[in-house]
Amino acid sequence: MTVIEAKGLTYTYPGGTRRALEDVSITIEKGEFVILTGPSGCGKTTLCRCLNGLVPNFYGGKLEGEILVTGLKVSEHQIYELARHVGLVFQNPENQLFALFVEKDVAFGLENLGVPRDEIRKRVDWALQMTNIENLRERAPHELSGGQQQRVAIACVLAMQPDVMVLDEPTSFLDPLGAQQIFDVISRLNKELGITVVMVEHRLDLASRYSNHVVVMDKGKVVLDGEPKDVFSSEAARLIGVGIPKATRLSQVLEMSGVRLGRVPVTSEEASQVLKEVLSRD
Amino acid sequence: MSVFDGLRFRRGSSPIHQLDPRAKFFYVIVMFVVAVLFNELLPLVVLFLIQIPFVFVARVQREWIRSLRGAAFLAIIIFGFNFLFTYLSGQYELSYVLERSFAMSLRFIVLVESFSVFFLTTSPDHLGLALEQSHVPYEFCFAFTTAVRFVPVLAEEAQTIMDAQKTRGLELERGNFIKRIRNYIPILIPLIVNAIRRSLELAEAMESRAWGATEKRTNLYVLKLKKSDYVLALLSILLLVLAVYIRLFLPVPQLGVVLRI
Ligand SMILES: Nc1ncnc2c1ncn2[C@@H]1O[C@H](COP(=O)(O)OP(=O)(O)OP(=O)(O)O)[C@@H](O)[C@H]1O
Ligand SMILES: [Mg+2]
């Protein structure tokens, strides 16, 4: 089933001189874990904003083309209607937490929707548990570390039980270990709950093992779109400067020096598997 | 700054902290009204004393004393002005003038005292909830709690900017009064720009979490008035009735006269 379908999206911010998006078309199926990547300023955040209606409803301007998210035409629905289906987690966790303590923040979206109190209680507990932060429920946001704040931000969106979760560089403020933990949480939501994930990410080394669909953008356009191994091994990805996973890079170097590997590894486990096979071939 | 120090909430779990903010606010209003009803020293001393048990039950003595110390300066000014003008009018004898002036500054202290007990024992989120349940528009309550939430963040940011500007050679403590104020401009501008950017991001995040989806917002928490809240309200009403009765029907003696007897 198709959850997100964009056709020919073109958008310029009001007062902007350049097109932030240019003829973007993508299709995302239910349950996919999509990584969206590309150089700075290429329009990744703008595309995320299209997915929950911030563009054009909040930012104004005209969005050309068509985008359907869970069957809803984004331009014809209010942001709060879309919020039931699409959750957006922003880059800076600090500015998306506005309550005085965690539990209240996680409840915020449900309160806005007018969900009955017992139901809010249940869903808040569930979201805290899924993101492993039950122990933080009484804390104030400024008493939390970046990684904890980021998990709270995820819980806030998760509590609304969206079909799609869009995360805009959820680990940009974190060290590699913190990033790993966030990826594990997101992957769990993807696998166990079947939530479709769209994640903007630069740390492909860490993130690509969870993904089954990679989209690369450049200058407002989608330049590559497909399975991780195909995208990462393409020449275009290297030229744009996408941080290709080391395992894939290694295989490219080996191929260039004449070693036939047979398939393209993305994670280090796959790489070691492939190398073992090659070594035992003789 | 120190007056506000006394007004800043710290976590606690005393019976006073557990009281409903609405009941406590009612008590503050009553204190306020009663303090304004009297300009004699004796009843104001009584008002001052009856609040002290609250302070000790809530275990906020230290903060409370700090708030009083902060208020002392203003109290002295109030005393000075009252003394000067009543004495210069030449209609009263000195002991009366002294007592009256002292009463005026004590009235101010009593007001600070009751407000500080209120703010020292009421968490901002309880206060926000109480506002919401008192049918204050939700936008206003939200603005209030969000402001409180960002105070520490902005304070930290101000410190960072200050340090950054100092390393670039900005000297804050230099020059005369006007110069010193102007020294703060390179700190205020980045602070304000940052705050505006932050507020845009906040607005985006709020929209994304269904802000404004329905008129009938629900709330995870409800404040319920408990027995102790009713007791406090009842005591406040009694105090008010008693005060009005004394004001209308009984003469209030000068404290000096009472003590001499
Ligand atoms: N609020 C805005 N108003 C005007 N122009 C904007 C706004 N936000 C982004 N842009 C412009 O739109 C283009 C795409 O920006 P966008 O933020 O989507 O890029 P990005 O891929 O998310 O970059 P980064 O990796 O740095 O986050 C850029 O040229 C940017 O200058
Ligand atoms: Mg971005």
Side-chain angles (χ1 to χ4, degrees), chain A residues 49 52 54 59 79 83 90 94-101 103-105 109 111-113 115 117 141, chain B residues 11 125 138 142 149 152 198 201-202 204-214 217-222:
Chain A
R49 288 175 180 148
N52 83 333
L54 284 171
Y59 280 90
I79 300 173
F90 296 85
E94 190 170 57
N95 292 342
Q96 42 188 318
L97 305 178
F98 20 73
L100 292 164
F101 53 103
E103 197 176 65
K104 180 88 181 136
D105 236 321
E111 293 178 342
N112 283 336
L113 291 173
V115 173
R117 182 166 307 125
Chain B
R11 275 173 206 208
D125 44 272
Y138 179 68
F142 181 82
R149 180 253 182 272
R198 206 183 273 284
E201 281 185 26
L202 272 176
E204 235 184 315
M206 284 160 61
E207 293 272 352
S208 307
R209 271 152 69 195
W211 171 266
T214 135
R217 240 184 143 259
T218 45
N219 207 317
L220 178 56
Y221 310 101
V222 258

Side-chain angles (χ1 to χ4, degrees), chain A residues 119-134:
Chain A
E119 178 70 16
I120 296 183
R121 167 57 53 208
K122 254 189 256 159
R123 289 216 225 161
V124 166
D125 289 346
W126 170 78
L128 291 174
Q129 189 204 331
M130 286 305 289
T131 45
N132 262 327
I133 47 170
E134 280 161 305

Side-chain angles (χ1 to χ4, degrees), chain A residues 50-224:
Chain A
C50 290
L51 298 179
N52 83 333
L54 284 171
V55 165
N57 296 329
F58 181 83
Y59 280 90
K62 189 165 167 13
L63 180 65
E64 285 166 56
E66 197 177 75
I67 175 164
L68 282 151
V69 178
T70 63
L72 303 172
K73 254 193 193 166
V74 167
S75 50
E76 290 172 4
H77 292 270
Q78 299 289 335
I79 300 173
Y80 58 74
E81 290 173 65
L82 294 162
R84 291 171 194 267
H85 306 283
V86 190
L88 182 50
V89 178
F90 296 85
Q91 187 168 2
N92 187 348
E94 190 170 57
N95 292 342
Q96 42 188 318
L97 305 178
F98 20 73
L100 292 164
F101 53 103
V102 167
E103 197 176 65
K104 180 88 181 136
D105 236 321
V106 178
F108 180 80
L110 299 171
E111 293 178 342
N112 283 336
L113 291 173
V115 173
R117 182 166 307 125
D118 332 337
E119 178 70 16
I120 296 183
R121 167 57 53 208
K122 254 189 256 159
R123 289 216 225 161
V124 166
D125 289 346
W126 170 78
L128 291 174
Q129 189 204 331
M130 286 305 289
T131 45
N132 262 327
I133 47 170
E134 280 161 305
N135 52 332
L136 304 180
R137 92 186 31 243
E138 304 273 308
R139 296 270 204 96
H142 64 94
E143 299 169 341
L144 302 176
S145 73
Q148 290 171 326
Q149 284 187 342
Q150 199 55 267
R151 281 198 232 185
V152 175
I154 293 173
C156 288
V157 164
L158 181 64
M160 298 173 80
Q161 299 184 337
D163 307 306
V164 184
M165 266 181 119
V166 183
L167 304 105
D168 191 356
E169 300 191 42
T171 65
S172 57
F173 289 89
L174 305 182
D175 55 85
L177 185 65
Q180 185 71 56
Q181 289 167 343
I182 295 289
F183 292 147
D184 286 338
V185 168
I186 299 169
S187 159
R188 183 172 171 207
L189 304 179
N190 175 249
K191 290 224 176 67
E192 289 179 18
L193 307 172
I195 295 177
T196 309
V197 172
V198 178
M199 181 167 81
V200 176
E201 191 52 63
H202 292 295
R203 303 189 205 214
L204 301 178
D205 248 331
L206 286 173
S208 40
R209 70 174 66 232
Y210 304 104
S211 155
N212 42 24
H213 185 169
V214 175
V215 176
V216 180
M217 291 180 70
D218 189 27
K219 301 197 182 83
K221 295 197 184 90
V222 170
V223 283
L224 292 165

Side-chain angles (χ1 to χ4, degrees), chain A residues 13 18 20 39-46 49 59 91 169 202:
Chain A
Y13 283 98
R18 227 160 41 90
S40 187
C42 69
K44 304 178 295 289
T45 300
T46 309
R49 288 175 180 148
Y59 280 90
Q91 187 168 2
E169 300 191 42
H202 292 295

